[in-house]
Amino acid sequence: MLNSPAIVNRPTRTRSKVTNGRRTFVDGDGKSAWARRRKDMIELHVADMGGWDALSEAQISLATRAAVIEVEL
């Protein structure tokens, strides 16, 4: 998911837990129905766009934003 050289070359302890994929900005423990649906929607959007390896960080961000808006609505 993180294919930007600027991010990859930094030590993990200097990156946020969100960047490292260890945490989301979801309230609670991330196991709620809302959080699970958000994750599912992100995976579906990414798959439709060619998979994680085919996307830039900006495209992943857009897929994530779209998923959050969809779930929230």
Side-chain angles (χ1 to χ4, degrees), residues 51-71:
W52 293 103
D53 294 334
L55 300 180
S56 68
E57 291 300 319
Q59 290 170 315
I60 292 170
S61 177
L62 291 172
T64 301
R65 286 174 185 239
V68 169
I69 291 169
E70 288 176 296
V71 174

Side-chain angles (χ1 to χ4, degrees), residues 19 23 27 34 52 54-55 58 72:
T19 302
R23 183 158 190 234
D27 286 338
W34 190 96
W52 293 103
L55 300 180
E72 192 64 27

Side-chain angles (χ1 to χ4, degrees), residues 3 9 12 14 16-17 21 28 31 33-34 37-38 41 48 51-52 60 66 70-71 73:
N3 51 14
N9 293 331
T12 57
T14 63
S16 74
K17 288 181 181 179
K31 295 180 183 179
W34 190 96
R37 182 62 178 154
R38 174 190 163 273
M41 293 301 296
D48 282 346
W52 293 103
I60 292 170
E70 288 176 296
V71 174
L73 290 175

